[in-house]
Amino acid sequence: MIIDLQKFITEERLYWSELEAMLDRLERKPDEKLALGALERFHYLYQRASADLAKISTFSAEPNTRQYLESLVGRAFGEIHETRDKPHRLRPLHWFFNTFPQTFRKHLRAFWISLIAILVGAAFGGFIMIVDSSTKQILLPFSHLQGDPSDRVKMEESTDTDRLKGAKSSFSSFLMTHNTKVAIFTLALGMTWGIGTLIMLFYNGVILGAVAVDYVLAGESAFLLGWLLPHGAIEIPAILLAGQAGIVLASALIGWGKPISLRMRLRKTSNDLVTLISGVALMLIWAGVVEAFFSQYHEPIMPYHIKIAFGCFELLILALFLGRAGRKSAYKNIKL
Amino acid sequence: MLSNRINTLLIKTPEGVEFSLRLAGPITRFLAWAIDLATIIAIISIINVFFAILGILSRDLAAAANIIGFFVVSIGYGILTEWYWQGQTLGKKLLRLRVMDSQGLRLQFSQVVIRNLLRFIDSLPALYLVGGLVCLLNQRAQRLGDFAANTIVTWNPRVSEPDLNQLLEGKYNSFHDYPHLEARLRQHVTPLEAQIAVQSIMRRDTLDPEARIALFRDLSAYFQTLVTFPQEATDGISDERYVRNVVEAIFRPKVSLEISSNSH
């Protein structure tokens, strides 16, 4: 119990200021490691401030001091009891070549679920097109896809003017931002226990399957591959990875077979979700550039076999990157 | 570790110390968002002026920069400000709100990113209807983004000092003869109860006579249950005088200090 409040505050303020200065430094330099002596002092100051808060809580006349101490103890509590890694300096190359592919592989099962959802959608869309091709007016939301594929190919191949001239950068930016929004939305729909994410993937699969079957049935397979592969080789996997992130989120919410609380499950996945969606955003930036500057050129300007080879090459590099990158450092960690 | 009270989150540390975080309600949060929205629009308008200058060189590049600028500012504003200002945007700063970890731990960058990305579904179908409804139903006033990111939004109201001059009337306080009982009173009366007593004294003239009598009767009866002063200290004083004595006893160390500093 405090008898003389002013004396108490005057005596303790020195310790509070010291703790505040230490907290400021730790928050300013998150990668700084305290020496054992400093660590012990920090813990002592935290305990002292906690004890002071307990004392002053019984004292009705000092709401400001109590609030200040609550804030101080709260900050120190977070610093001492936080077990997650502190955010270090930005290491974008390490993140891209190690963390991102490792995170992808860590949640491989979610990726397969995502792939299955889009494949089921594609099979459904393709089947509908085979059964009744007139449904493409409903299935395909883009006007340039609703006509006869052969007419479009004829038109694209006969044009000798660059229809995107003077608009490539803005078209590319539009594609990047639009697709990134779709990807974020697919991730966010994980909050519907994954149902929304699966519907989103299924719907994208339906469009993809319907377009593919429409062009194949019209005998325009080479055009289809040449048009879609250069950007689709990155864009479609990017949407799959966004779906993967959504399913990871849903899995944390549902928590089948995980003997930890919901809060802990969500806490454990938060870094992975941010890694996946950041990787997806980078992939979509690349896909947007390729779609605007490369995919829109057809024969005779750009031979299809070059476009198809480019798309296959991208797909191969992506598969190798996601499957192999960062493995060496993982082994290193195990040896250590 | 954690227990819930109405609109506050109580955190108990392993050292046995408790501190409470006052949760922000959906209306305050909506107002903060409206300020942030206005800020985003202002930032976009300013950068559009620069893009317009870029348009002299290339209209295509200017349009591209415009699209990307809008996207980056609208998504990045919340993430950058909440990370840089430790859980606050401009709107939150103005309304004294702060995003915090739901267990009182350090706010992580990934938490800030997730709660901001999940605005995509919280804002559905318009004006944050989904987020607002979830916030109303959730015990910790979390929207879906907060739920996924393990964050809460707290409100730190400004604590106003009571105007002690109103209590200094120079009248004799019979409680001062019993310093040990005054000390016990200071120990037992909670800060909230002390504030209620102070506010009652300060606003007594605005009350109806009946309400004023009833209020001070109740307060006096309550304080008597906490500490019983001897009969000679309470004889002949009204309920209102009793509550004034209580308030003076609680705040006396401060009052005496102010008197002594004024006298110098």
Side-chain angles (χ1 to χ4, degrees), chain A residues 1 46 50 53 58-64 66-67 70 74 77-79 81-82 84-86 166-170 173 177 180-181 184 188 191 262-263 266-267 270-271 274 277, chain B residues 1-2 13-15 17 19-20 60 64 67-68 71 86 101 103-106 108 110 114 117-118 120-121 140 144 147-148 150 157 159 161 183 186-187 189 191 194 251 254:
Chain A
M1 188 185 144
Y46 163 63
S50 298
L53 174 60
T58 63
F59 206 93
S60 317
E62 270 301 317
N64 283 332
R66 198 184 73 250
Q67 204 174 51
E70 277 190 345
F77 169 78
E79 205 63 52
H81 293 276
E82 180 58 83
R84 293 169 294 184
D85 283 341
K86 283 181 176 181
K168 284 193 199 76
S169 299
S170 48
S173 309
T177 53
T180 306
K181 277 182 202 163
I184 294 171
M191 283 305 283
L262 169 66
R263 211 172 290 148
L266 288 168
R267 200 176 281 281
S270 63
N271 277 333
V274 174
I277 203 67
Chain B
M1 187 87 180
L2 295 168
T13 73
E15 290 76 14
V17 176
F19 55 94
S20 56
D60 184 30
I67 293 168
I68 292 177
F71 180 76
Q86 291 168 359
D101 181 275
Q103 287 177 297
L105 300 177
R106 198 186 325 113
Q108 298 275 311
S110 58
I114 289 172
L117 291 186
L118 262 68
F120 274 70
I121 47 169
R140 297 164 172 228
L144 288 174
F147 190 80
N150 267 322
V159 180
E161 289 283 346
R186 281 197 289 276
Q187 195 179 14
V189 174
F251 290 91
K254 229 175 195 186

Coordinates of all heavy atoms in Angstrom, one line a residue, chain A residues 1 46 50 53 58-64 66-67 70 74 77-79 81-82 84-86 166-170 173 177 180-181 184 188 191 262-263 266-267 270-271 274 277, chain B residues 1-2 13-15 17 19-20 60 64 67-68 71 86 101 103-106 108 110 114 117-118 120-121 140 144 147-148 150 157 159 161 183 186-187 189 191 194 251 254:
Chain A
M1 N 0.8 -1.2 0.0 CA 0.0 0.0 0.0 C 0.9 1.3 0.0 O 1.9 1.3 0.7 CB -0.9 0.0 1.3 CG -1.9 1.0 1.3 SD -2.8 1.0 2.9 CE -3.0 2.7 3.1
Y46 N 11.1 -4.6 -15.6 CA 9.7 -5.0 -15.9 C 9.0 -5.5 -14.6 O 7.8 -5.1 -14.4 CB 9.8 -6.1 -16.9 CG 8.5 -6.9 -17.1 CD1 7.3 -6.3 -17.5 CD2 8.5 -8.3 -16.8 CE1 6.1 -7.1 -17.6 CE2 7.3 -9.0 -16.9 CZ 6.1 -8.4 -17.3 OH 5.0 -9.1 -17.4
S50 N 5.8 -3.7 -12.9 CA 4.6 -4.5 -12.6 C 4.2 -4.4 -11.2 O 3.0 -4.2 -10.9 CB 4.9 -6.0 -12.9 OG 5.2 -6.2 -14.3
L53 N 2.7 -1.1 -10.7 CA 1.3 -1.0 -11.2 C 0.3 -1.7 -10.3 O -0.8 -1.1 -10.0 CB 1.3 -1.7 -12.6 CG -0.1 -1.8 -13.2 CD1 -0.7 -0.5 -13.5 CD2 0.0 -2.6 -14.6
T58 N -4.4 0.2 -6.6 CA -5.3 0.3 -5.4 C -5.5 1.8 -5.1 O -6.2 2.1 -4.2 CB -4.6 -0.4 -4.2 OG1 -3.4 0.3 -3.9 CG2 -4.4 -1.8 -4.5
F59 N -4.8 2.7 -5.8 CA -4.8 4.1 -5.5 C -5.7 4.8 -6.5 O -5.4 4.9 -7.6 CB -3.4 4.6 -5.5 CG -3.2 5.8 -4.6 CD1 -2.8 5.7 -3.3 CD2 -3.5 7.1 -5.0 CE1 -2.7 6.7 -2.5 CE2 -3.4 8.2 -4.2 CZ -3.0 8.0 -2.9
S60 N -6.8 5.3 -6.0 CA -7.8 5.8 -6.9 C -7.5 7.1 -7.6 O -8.0 7.5 -8.6 CB -9.1 6.0 -6.1 OG -9.3 4.9 -5.3
A61 N -6.6 7.9 -6.9 CA -6.4 9.3 -7.4 C -5.4 9.5 -8.5 O -5.1 10.6 -8.9 CB -5.9 10.1 -6.2
E62 N -4.8 8.4 -9.0 CA -3.8 8.6 -10.0 C -4.1 7.9 -11.3 O -3.4 7.0 -11.8 CB -2.5 8.1 -9.5 CG -1.7 9.2 -8.8 CD -1.3 10.4 -9.7 OE1 -1.0 10.2 -10.9 OE2 -1.5 11.6 -9.2
P63 N -5.2 8.2 -12.0 CA -5.5 7.5 -13.3 C -4.5 7.7 -14.4 O -4.2 6.7 -15.1 CB -6.9 8.1 -13.7 CG -7.0 9.4 -13.0 CD -6.2 9.3 -11.7
N64 N -3.9 8.8 -14.5 CA -2.9 9.1 -15.5 C -1.6 8.2 -15.3 O -1.1 7.6 -16.2 CB -2.5 10.5 -15.6 CG -3.5 11.3 -16.3 OD1 -4.2 10.8 -17.1 ND2 -3.6 12.6 -15.9
R66 N -1.5 5.5 -13.6 CA -1.9 4.1 -13.8 C -1.9 3.7 -15.2 O -1.4 2.7 -15.6 CB -3.2 3.8 -13.1 CG -3.5 2.4 -12.9 CD -4.9 2.1 -12.4 NE -5.9 2.3 -13.4 CZ -6.8 3.2 -13.4 NH1 -6.8 4.1 -12.4 NH2 -7.7 3.3 -14.4
Q67 N -2.4 4.7 -16.0 CA -2.5 4.4 -17.5 C -1.1 4.3 -18.1 O -0.9 3.5 -18.9 CB -3.3 5.5 -18.1 CG -3.9 5.1 -19.5 CD -4.8 6.2 -20.0 OE1 -4.4 7.3 -20.1 NE2 -6.0 5.8 -20.4
E70 N 0.4 1.0 -17.1 CA -0.3 0.0 -17.8 C 0.3 -0.2 -19.2 O 0.6 -1.3 -19.6 CB -1.8 0.2 -17.9 CG -2.6 -0.2 -16.7 CD -4.1 -0.2 -16.9 OE1 -4.5 0.4 -17.9 OE2 -4.8 -0.8 -16.1
G74 N 2.5 -3.2 -20.3 CA 2.0 -3.9 -21.5 C 3.0 -4.1 -22.6 O 3.2 -5.2 -23.2
F77 N 5.6 -6.5 -21.3 CA 5.1 -7.9 -21.3 C 5.1 -8.5 -22.8 O 5.6 -9.6 -22.9 CB 3.6 -7.8 -20.9 CG 2.8 -9.0 -21.1 CD1 2.9 -10.1 -20.2 CD2 1.9 -9.1 -22.1 CE1 2.2 -11.2 -20.4 CE2 1.2 -10.3 -22.3 CZ 1.3 -11.3 -21.4
G78 N 4.8 -7.7 -23.8 CA 4.8 -8.1 -25.2 C 6.2 -8.5 -25.6 O 6.5 -9.4 -26.2
E79 N 7.2 -7.7 -25.1 CA 8.6 -7.9 -25.5 C 9.1 -9.1 -24.8 O 9.9 -9.9 -25.4 CB 9.4 -6.6 -25.0 CG 10.7 -6.3 -25.7 CD 10.4 -6.0 -27.2 OE1 9.6 -5.1 -27.5 OE2 11.1 -6.6 -28.0
H81 N 7.3 -11.8 -23.4 CA 6.6 -13.1 -23.6 C 6.5 -13.4 -25.1 O 5.9 -14.5 -25.4 CB 5.3 -13.0 -22.9 CG 5.4 -13.0 -21.4 ND1 5.5 -14.1 -20.7 CD2 5.5 -12.0 -20.6 CE1 5.7 -13.8 -19.4 NE2 5.7 -12.5 -19.3
E82 N 6.9 -12.6 -26.0 CA 6.8 -12.9 -27.4 C 7.8 -13.9 -27.8 O 9.0 -13.8 -27.5 CB 7.0 -11.6 -28.2 CG 7.0 -11.8 -29.7 CD 5.6 -12.3 -30.2 OE1 4.7 -11.5 -30.3 OE2 5.5 -13.5 -30.3
R84 N 7.7 -15.3 -31.0 CA 7.9 -15.4 -32.5 C 9.1 -14.5 -32.9 O 9.5 -13.6 -32.1 CB 6.7 -14.8 -33.2 CG 5.4 -15.7 -33.0 CD 4.2 -15.0 -33.5 NE 3.9 -13.8 -32.7 CZ 2.8 -13.1 -32.8 NH1 2.0 -13.3 -33.8 NH2 2.6 -12.0 -32.0
D85 N 9.7 -14.8 -34.0 CA 10.9 -14.1 -34.5 C 10.5 -12.6 -34.6 O 9.4 -12.3 -35.1 CB 11.3 -14.6 -35.8 CG 12.1 -15.9 -35.7 OD1 12.5 -16.2 -34.6 OD2 12.2 -16.6 -36.7
K86 N 11.5 -11.8 -34.3 CA 11.3 -10.4 -34.5 C 11.5 -10.1 -36.0 O 12.3 -10.8 -36.6 CB 12.4 -9.6 -33.7 CG 12.1 -9.5 -32.3 CD 13.2 -8.7 -31.6 CE 12.9 -8.4 -30.2 NZ 13.9 -7.6 -29.5
G166 N 0.6 2.2 -77.6 CA 0.3 3.3 -76.7 C -0.5 3.0 -75.5 O -0.9 3.9 -74.8
A167 N -0.8 1.7 -75.3 CA -1.6 1.4 -74.1 C -1.1 0.2 -73.4 O -1.8 -0.4 -72.5 CB -3.1 1.2 -74.6
K168 N 0.1 -0.3 -73.8 CA 0.6 -1.5 -73.2 C 0.8 -1.4 -71.7 O 0.5 -2.3 -70.9 CB 1.9 -2.0 -73.9 CG 1.7 -2.6 -75.3 CD 2.9 -3.2 -75.8 CE 2.9 -3.4 -77.2 NZ 3.2 -2.2 -78.0
S169 N 1.5 -0.3 -71.3 CA 1.8 -0.1 -69.9 C 0.5 -0.1 -69.0 O 0.5 -0.7 -68.0 CB 2.6 1.1 -69.7 OG 3.8 1.1 -70.4
S170 N -0.4 0.7 -69.5 CA -1.7 0.8 -68.7 C -2.4 -0.5 -68.7 O -3.0 -0.9 -67.7 CB -2.5 2.0 -69.2 OG -2.7 1.9 -70.6
S173 N -0.7 -2.7 -66.3 CA -0.9 -2.3 -64.9 C -2.3 -2.8 -64.4 O -2.5 -3.2 -63.3 CB -0.9 -0.8 -64.7 OG 0.3 -0.3 -65.3
T177 N -3.0 -5.3 -61.3 CA -3.8 -4.9 -60.1 C -5.1 -5.7 -60.0 O -5.4 -6.2 -58.9 CB -4.1 -3.4 -60.1 OG1 -4.7 -3.1 -61.4 CG2 -2.8 -2.6 -60.0
T180 N -4.2 -9.3 -58.9 CA -3.8 -9.3 -57.5 C -5.0 -9.1 -56.6 O -5.1 -9.8 -55.5 CB -2.8 -8.2 -57.2 OG1 -1.7 -8.3 -58.2 CG2 -2.2 -8.3 -55.8
K181 N -5.9 -8.3 -57.0 CA -7.2 -8.2 -56.2 C -7.9 -9.5 -56.1 O -8.4 -9.9 -55.0 CB -8.1 -7.1 -56.8 CG -7.7 -5.7 -56.4 CD -8.7 -4.7 -57.0 CE -8.1 -3.3 -57.1 NZ -8.9 -2.5 -58.0
I184 N -6.0 -11.8 -53.7 CA -6.2 -11.4 -52.3 C -7.6 -11.8 -51.9 O -7.8 -12.4 -50.8 CB -6.1 -9.9 -52.1 CG1 -4.6 -9.5 -52.4 CG2 -6.4 -9.5 -50.7 CD1 -4.4 -8.0 -52.4
A188 N -8.7 -14.2 -48.9 CA -9.6 -13.7 -47.8 C -10.8 -14.6 -47.7 O -11.3 -14.8 -46.6 CB -10.0 -12.3 -48.1
M191 N -11.7 -17.3 -45.0 CA -12.5 -17.1 -43.7 C -13.8 -17.7 -43.8 O -14.5 -17.7 -42.7 CB -12.6 -15.6 -43.5 CG -11.3 -14.9 -42.9 SD -10.7 -15.7 -41.5 CE -11.8 -15.0 -40.2
L262 N -7.5 -22.4 -31.5 CA -7.7 -21.6 -32.7 C -6.8 -20.5 -32.8 O -6.2 -20.2 -33.9 CB -9.2 -21.2 -32.7 CG -9.6 -20.2 -33.8 CD1 -9.5 -20.8 -35.2 CD2 -11.0 -19.7 -33.6
R263 N -6.6 -19.7 -31.7 CA -5.8 -18.5 -31.7 C -4.3 -18.9 -32.1 O -3.7 -18.2 -32.9 CB -5.8 -17.9 -30.4 CG -5.7 -16.4 -30.5 CD -6.0 -15.7 -29.2 NE -7.4 -15.8 -28.8 CZ -7.8 -15.9 -27.6 NH1 -7.0 -16.0 -26.6 NH2 -9.1 -15.9 -27.3
L266 N -4.0 -19.8 -35.8 CA -4.0 -18.6 -36.7 C -2.7 -17.9 -36.6 O -2.1 -17.4 -37.6 CB -5.2 -17.7 -36.3 CG -6.6 -18.2 -36.7 CD1 -7.6 -17.3 -36.1 CD2 -6.7 -18.1 -38.3
R267 N -2.2 -17.9 -35.3 CA -0.9 -17.2 -35.1 C 0.2 -17.9 -35.9 O 1.1 -17.2 -36.4 CB -0.6 -17.2 -33.6 CG 0.4 -16.2 -33.1 CD 0.5 -16.3 -31.6 NE -0.6 -15.6 -30.9 CZ -0.7 -14.3 -30.7 NH1 0.3 -13.5 -31.2 NH2 -1.7 -13.8 -30.1
S270 N 0.1 -17.0 -39.8 CA 0.1 -15.7 -40.3 C 1.3 -15.3 -41.2 O 1.1 -14.8 -42.3 CB -0.1 -14.7 -39.2 OG 1.0 -14.7 -38.3
N271 N 2.5 -15.7 -40.8 CA 3.7 -15.4 -41.6 C 3.6 -16.1 -43.0 O 4.0 -15.6 -44.0 CB 5.0 -15.9 -40.9 CG 5.4 -14.8 -39.9 OD1 5.1 -13.6 -40.1 ND2 6.1 -15.2 -38.9
V274 N 1.2 -14.4 -45.4 CA 1.8 -13.2 -46.0 C 2.9 -13.6 -47.0 O 3.0 -12.9 -48.1 CB 2.4 -12.3 -44.9 CG1 3.1 -11.1 -45.5 CG2 1.3 -11.8 -44.0
I277 N 1.0 -14.8 -50.3 CA 0.3 -13.8 -51.0 C 1.3 -12.8 -51.6 O 1.1 -12.3 -52.7 CB -0.8 -13.1 -50.2 CG1 -1.9 -12.5 -51.1 CG2 -0.3 -12.1 -49.2 CD1 -2.7 -13.5 -51.9
Chain B
M1 N -5.4 -17.1 -18.9 CA -4.6 -15.9 -19.1 C -5.5 -14.7 -19.4 O -5.3 -13.6 -18.9 CB -3.7 -16.1 -20.4 CG -2.7 -15.0 -20.6 SD -1.2 -15.3 -19.7 CE -0.3 -13.9 -20.2
L2 N -6.5 -14.9 -20.2 CA -7.3 -13.8 -20.6 C -8.8 -14.0 -20.1 O -9.3 -15.1 -20.1 CB -7.4 -13.6 -22.1 CG -6.0 -13.2 -22.8 CD1 -6.2 -13.4 -24.3 CD2 -5.7 -11.8 -22.5
T13 N -0.8 -10.8 -16.3 CA 0.5 -11.3 -16.6 C 0.9 -12.4 -15.6 O 0.3 -12.5 -14.6 CB 1.6 -10.1 -16.5 OG1 1.7 -9.8 -15.1 CG2 1.1 -8.9 -17.2
P14 N 1.9 -13.2 -16.0 CA 2.3 -14.3 -15.1 C 2.8 -13.7 -13.7 O 2.8 -14.4 -12.7 CB 3.5 -15.0 -15.8 CG 3.3 -14.6 -17.2 CD 2.6 -13.3 -17.2
E15 N 3.1 -12.4 -13.7 CA 3.6 -11.8 -12.4 C 2.4 -11.4 -11.6 O 2.5 -10.9 -10.5 CB 4.4 -10.5 -12.7 CG 5.8 -10.8 -13.3 CD 5.7 -11.1 -14.8 OE1 4.6 -10.9 -15.4 OE2 6.7 -11.6 -15.3
V17 N 0.0 -9.3 -12.4 CA -0.4 -7.9 -12.6 C -1.5 -7.9 -13.7 O -1.4 -8.7 -14.6 CB 0.7 -7.0 -13.0 CG1 0.3 -5.6 -13.3 CG2 1.8 -7.0 -11.9
F19 N -3.8 -5.7 -16.4 CA -4.1 -4.4 -17.0 C -5.2 -4.6 -18.0 O -5.3 -5.6 -18.7 CB -2.9 -3.7 -17.6 CG -2.1 -4.5 -18.5 CD1 -2.3 -4.4 -19.9 CD2 -1.1 -5.4 -18.1 CE1 -1.5 -5.2 -20.8 CE2 -0.3 -6.1 -18.9 CZ -0.6 -6.0 -20.3
S20 N -6.0 -3.5 -18.2 CA -7.2 -3.7 -19.0 C -7.0 -2.9 -20.3 O -6.4 -1.8 -20.3 CB -8.4 -3.3 -18.3 OG -8.3 -2.0 -17.8
D60 N 0.5 6.8 -71.8 CA 0.4 5.4 -71.4 C 1.0 5.2 -70.0 O 0.4 4.6 -69.1 CB 1.0 4.5 -72.5 CG 0.8 3.0 -72.2 OD1 -0.2 2.7 -71.5 OD2 1.7 2.2 -72.5
A64 N -0.7 4.1 -66.5 CA -0.2 2.9 -65.8 C 0.2 3.3 -64.3 O -0.2 2.6 -63.4 CB 1.0 2.3 -66.5
I67 N -3.0 3.8 -62.3 CA -3.6 2.5 -61.8 C -2.8 1.9 -60.7 O -3.4 1.5 -59.6 CB -3.7 1.5 -63.0 CG1 -4.7 2.1 -64.1 CG2 -4.2 0.2 -62.6 CD1 -4.6 1.4 -65.4
I68 N -1.5 1.8 -60.9 CA -0.7 1.2 -59.8 C -0.7 2.1 -58.6 O -0.8 1.5 -57.4 CB 0.7 0.9 -60.3 CG1 0.7 -0.2 -61.4 CG2 1.7 0.5 -59.2 CD1 2.0 -0.5 -62.1
F71 N -3.8 1.5 -56.6 CA -3.8 0.2 -56.0 C -2.9 0.2 -54.7 O -3.3 -0.3 -53.7 CB -3.4 -0.8 -57.0 CG -3.3 -2.2 -56.5 CD1 -4.5 -3.0 -56.3 CD2 -2.1 -2.8 -56.2 CE1 -4.4 -4.3 -55.8 CE2 -2.1 -4.1 -55.7 CZ -3.2 -4.8 -55.5
Q86 N 3.0 1.8 -35.2 CA 2.7 0.8 -34.2 C 1.2 0.6 -33.9 O 0.7 0.9 -32.8 CB 3.4 1.0 -32.9 CG 4.9 0.8 -33.1 CD 5.8 1.3 -32.0 OE1 5.3 1.8 -31.0 NE2 7.1 1.1 -32.2
D101 N -2.1 -6.7 -30.5 CA -2.2 -8.1 -30.5 C -3.2 -8.5 -29.4 O -3.3 -7.9 -28.4 CB -0.8 -8.7 -30.1 CG -0.8 -10.2 -30.1 OD1 -1.2 -10.8 -29.1 OD2 -0.5 -10.8 -31.1
Q103 N -3.4 -10.8 -27.4 CA -2.9 -11.4 -26.2 C -1.9 -10.4 -25.5 O -1.1 -10.8 -24.6 CB -2.2 -12.7 -26.4 CG -3.3 -13.8 -26.6 CD -2.6 -15.1 -26.9 OE1 -1.9 -15.3 -27.9 NE2 -2.9 -16.1 -26.1
G104 N -1.8 -9.2 -26.0 CA -0.9 -8.2 -25.5 C 0.5 -8.3 -25.9 O 1.4 -7.7 -25.4
L105 N 0.8 -9.2 -26.9 CA 2.1 -9.4 -27.3 C 2.5 -8.4 -28.4 O 1.6 -7.6 -28.7 CB 2.3 -10.8 -27.9 CG 2.0 -12.0 -26.9 CD1 2.1 -13.3 -27.6 CD2 3.0 -11.9 -25.8
R106 N 3.7 -8.4 -28.9 CA 4.1 -7.4 -29.8 C 3.4 -7.6 -31.2 O 3.2 -8.7 -31.6 CB 5.6 -7.5 -30.1 CG 6.3 -6.3 -30.7 CD 7.7 -6.5 -31.1 NE 8.4 -7.3 -30.2 CZ 8.9 -8.6 -30.5 NH1 8.7 -9.1 -31.7 NH2 9.6 -9.3 -29.6
Q108 N 2.9 -8.0 -34.9 CA 3.8 -8.5 -35.9 C 3.4 -7.9 -37.3 O 2.2 -7.6 -37.5 CB 3.7 -10.0 -36.0 CG 4.2 -10.7 -34.8 CD 5.7 -10.9 -34.7 OE1 6.3 -11.4 -35.7 NE2 6.2 -10.6 -33.6
S110 N 3.2 -9.4 -40.1 CA 2.2 -10.3 -40.8 C 0.8 -10.1 -40.3 O -0.2 -10.2 -41.0 CB 2.6 -11.8 -40.5 OG 2.7 -12.1 -39.2
I114 N -2.3 -9.1 -42.7 CA -3.5 -10.0 -42.8 C -4.8 -9.2 -42.5 O -5.7 -9.3 -43.3 CB -3.4 -11.2 -41.9 CG1 -2.3 -12.1 -42.5 CG2 -4.7 -12.0 -41.8 CD1 -1.9 -13.3 -41.7
L117 N -5.5 -7.0 -45.5 CA -5.9 -7.7 -46.8 C -7.3 -8.3 -46.6 O -8.1 -8.3 -47.6 CB -4.9 -8.9 -47.1 CG -3.5 -8.5 -47.5 CD1 -2.7 -9.7 -48.0 CD2 -3.5 -7.5 -48.7
L118 N -7.6 -8.7 -45.4 CA -9.0 -9.2 -45.2 C -10.1 -8.2 -45.2 O -11.3 -8.5 -45.1 CB -9.0 -10.1 -44.0 CG -8.9 -11.6 -44.3 CD1 -7.5 -11.9 -44.8 CD2 -9.3 -12.5 -43.2
F120 N -10.9 -7.0 -47.8 CA -11.6 -7.3 -49.0 C -13.0 -8.0 -48.7 O -13.9 -7.8 -49.4 CB -10.8 -8.3 -49.9 CG -9.8 -7.5 -50.7 CD1 -8.7 -6.8 -50.2 CD2 -10.0 -7.5 -52.1 CE1 -7.9 -6.1 -51.0 CE2 -9.1 -6.8 -52.9 CZ -8.0 -6.1 -52.4
I121 N -13.0 -8.8 -47.7 CA -14.4 -9.4 -47.4 C -15.1 -8.7 -46.3 O -16.3 -8.7 -46.2 CB -14.3 -11.0 -47.1 CG1 -13.2 -11.3 -46.1 CG2 -14.2 -11.8 -48.3 CD1 -13.4 -12.7 -45.6
R140 N -14.9 -9.7 -28.7 CA -13.8 -8.7 -28.6 C -13.9 -7.6 -29.6 O -12.9 -7.0 -29.9 CB -12.5 -9.5 -28.8 CG -12.2 -10.5 -27.7 CD -11.1 -11.4 -28.2 NE -10.8 -12.3 -27.2 CZ -9.5 -12.6 -26.8 NH1 -8.5 -12.0 -27.5 NH2 -9.2 -13.4 -25.8
L144 N -13.6 -9.7 -39.3 CA -13.0 -10.9 -39.7 C -11.4 -10.8 -39.9 O -10.7 -11.7 -39.5 CB -13.6 -11.4 -41.1 CG -15.0 -11.9 -41.0 CD1 -15.5 -12.1 -42.5 CD2 -15.1 -13.1 -40.2
F147 N -9.9 -11.1 -36.5 CA -10.0 -12.5 -36.0 C -8.9 -13.3 -36.6 O -8.2 -14.1 -35.9 CB -11.4 -13.0 -36.4 CG -11.7 -14.3 -35.8 CD1 -12.2 -14.3 -34.5 CD2 -11.6 -15.5 -36.5 CE1 -12.5 -15.6 -33.9 CE2 -11.9 -16.7 -35.9 CZ -12.3 -16.7 -34.6
A148 N -8.7 -13.2 -37.9 CA -7.7 -14.0 -38.6 C -6.3 -13.6 -38.2 O -5.4 -14.4 -38.1 CB -7.8 -13.9 -40.1
N150 N -5.5 -12.2 -35.3 CA -5.3 -12.2 -33.8 C -5.0 -10.8 -33.3 O -4.1 -10.6 -32.5 CB -4.2 -13.1 -33.4 CG -4.7 -14.5 -33.0 OD1 -5.7 -14.6 -32.4 ND2 -3.9 -15.5 -33.4
P157 N -9.1 6.4 -24.1 CA -9.7 7.7 -23.8 C -8.8 8.6 -23.0 O -8.0 8.1 -22.2 CB -11.0 7.4 -23.1 CG -10.7 6.0 -22.4 CD -9.8 5.3 -23.3
V159 N -7.6 10.7 -20.1 CA -8.0 10.7 -18.7 C -8.0 12.1 -18.2 O -6.9 12.8 -18.3 CB -7.1 9.8 -17.9 CG1 -7.5 9.8 -16.4 CG2 -7.1 8.4 -18.4
E161 N -8.1 15.0 -15.5 CA -7.8 15.2 -14.1 C -9.0 15.9 -13.4 O -9.6 16.9 -14.0 CB -6.6 16.2 -13.9 CG -5.3 15.5 -14.2 CD -4.8 14.6 -13.2 OE1 -5.4 14.7 -12.0 OE2 -3.9 13.8 -13.4
A183 N -6.6 6.0 4.9 CA -5.7 5.2 4.1 C -6.5 3.9 3.6 O -6.3 3.5 2.5 CB -4.5 4.8 4.9
R186 N -8.7 4.8 0.8 CA -8.0 4.9 -0.5 C -7.7 3.6 -1.1 O -7.6 3.4 -2.3 CB -6.7 5.7 -0.2 CG -6.9 7.2 -0.1 CD -5.5 7.9 -0.3 NE -4.6 7.8 0.8 CZ -4.7 8.5 1.9 NH1 -5.6 9.4 2.1 NH2 -3.8 8.3 2.9
Q187 N -7.5 2.6 -0.2 CA -7.1 1.3 -0.7 C -8.3 0.5 -1.3 O -8.2 -0.2 -2.2 CB -6.5 0.4 0.5 CG -5.8 -0.8 0.0 CD -5.3 -1.6 1.2 OE1 -5.6 -1.3 2.3 NE2 -4.4 -2.5 0.9
V189 N -11.4 1.9 -2.3 CA -12.2 2.6 -3.4 C -11.5 2.4 -4.7 O -10.3 2.7 -4.8 CB -12.4 4.1 -3.1 CG1 -13.1 4.8 -4.2 CG2 -13.2 4.3 -1.8
P191 N -10.6 3.1 -8.8 CA -10.5 4.3 -9.5 C -11.8 4.7 -10.1 O -12.2 5.9 -10.2 CB -9.5 4.0 -10.6 CG -8.7 2.9 -10.0 CD -9.6 2.1 -9.2
A194 N -14.0 6.2 -7.5 CA -13.5 7.6 -7.2 C -14.0 8.6 -8.2 O -14.4 9.7 -7.9 CB -12.0 7.6 -7.1
F251 N -8.2 12.0 -2.5 CA -7.3 12.9 -3.3 C -6.4 13.7 -2.4 O -5.7 14.6 -2.9 CB -8.1 13.7 -4.2 CG -8.7 13.0 -5.4 CD1 -10.0 12.4 -5.3 CD2 -8.0 12.7 -6.5 CE1 -10.6 11.7 -6.3 CE2 -8.6 12.0 -7.6 CZ -9.9 11.5 -7.4
K254 N -2.6 14.8 -3.0 CA -2.4 15.7 -4.1 C -2.8 17.1 -3.7 O -2.1 18.1 -4.0 CB -3.3 15.3 -5.3 CG -2.5 15.2 -6.5 CD -3.4 14.7 -7.6 CE -2.5 14.4 -8.7 NZ -3.2 14.0 -9.9

